[in-house]
Amino acid sequence: MSETVATQPAEDLRYPVGEWDRQPAADPAAVAAAIATIEALPTRLREAVAGLDDAQLDTPYRPGGWTVRQLVHHVADSHLNAYIRCKFALTEDRPAIKAYEEKLWAELPEAKSAPVEVSLKLLEALHERWVLALRALGEAELDRPYVHPEIGEMPLRAMLGMYAWHSRHHVAHVTGFRRRQGW
């Protein structure tokens, strides 16, 4: 008799919460959950990096990845862009937004050396404002899209799903790294 042994797949260091599944926040409960995840990001990211010294912050969270410091600054860059894109979608008809070279932004001197506190404070203020805007959206507004040059049309309810995932994704990068390092 042959016995099948289930094996646990190795942790995917690139996608610790899985890849973005592109599912929009389709109903009011999903919208509320996505907004709550976005709202929690500044606190969760601050907790994830709490107590790390400069040497730890300057360590890549995975082979070939950014340092923890670059990751924190990337989240601020990304979420600033998302907030602006949201505003464009609410005030213009299907606006074409500009993509940015996130990998190059992460290599700029301030992204590699600025204290993470700068981006953590920015995220707190940004998310407070963004969540106020998101909670005020009605169903019709959630369906307003912007047009991303690489992704295509992105209704705000799909953007909510993406940035809720993005929030979980990068916090998991740091918490998984700390767990693996014993920090």
Side-chain angles (χ1 to χ4, degrees), residues 63-147:
W66 291 326
T67 66
V68 175
R69 183 183 311 275
Q70 287 172 296
L71 182 142
V72 171
H73 295 312
H74 158 73
V75 173
D77 290 341
S78 175
H79 290 210
L80 276 167
N81 274 285
Y83 174 72
I84 296 300
R85 292 167 179 178
C86 182
K87 297 289 231 170
F88 280 135
L90 291 169
T91 59
E92 298 178 18
D93 186 29
R94 298 184 71 249
I97 57 95
K98 181 168 179 15
Y100 71 102
E101 297 291 337
E102 66 182 33
K103 291 177 184 171
L104 296 177
W105 285 35
E107 293 299 323
L108 292 171
E110 47 79 30
K112 293 176 87 171
S113 64
V116 295
E117 184 62 23
V118 173
S119 283
L120 292 171
K121 288 191 301 191
L122 187 149
L123 282 164
E124 288 168 352
L126 173 66
H127 278 241
E128 185 174 352
R129 179 88 185 268
W130 193 13
V131 166
L132 287 170
L134 293 174
R135 287 204 170 117
L137 299 180
E139 287 297 310
E141 293 157 319
L142 286 165
D143 291 326
R144 291 185 61 92
Y146 57 79
V147 181

Side-chain angles (χ1 to χ4, degrees), residues 18-83:
E19 292 188 49
W20 174 43
D21 65 9
R22 298 184 181 261
Q23 293 303 308
D27 59 48
V31 168
I35 293 171
T37 299
I38 291 167
E39 180 178 34
L41 177 273
T43 299
R44 294 198 62 223
L45 189 58
R46 180 177 290 284
E47 290 169 351
V49 300
L52 294 178
D53 62 29
D54 282 336
Q56 292 167 321
L57 289 168
D58 292 330
T59 304
Y61 68 88
R62 67 175 174 83
W66 291 326
T67 66
V68 175
R69 183 183 311 275
Q70 287 172 296
L71 182 142
V72 171
H73 295 312
H74 158 73
V75 173
D77 290 341
S78 175
H79 290 210
L80 276 167
N81 274 285
Y83 174 72

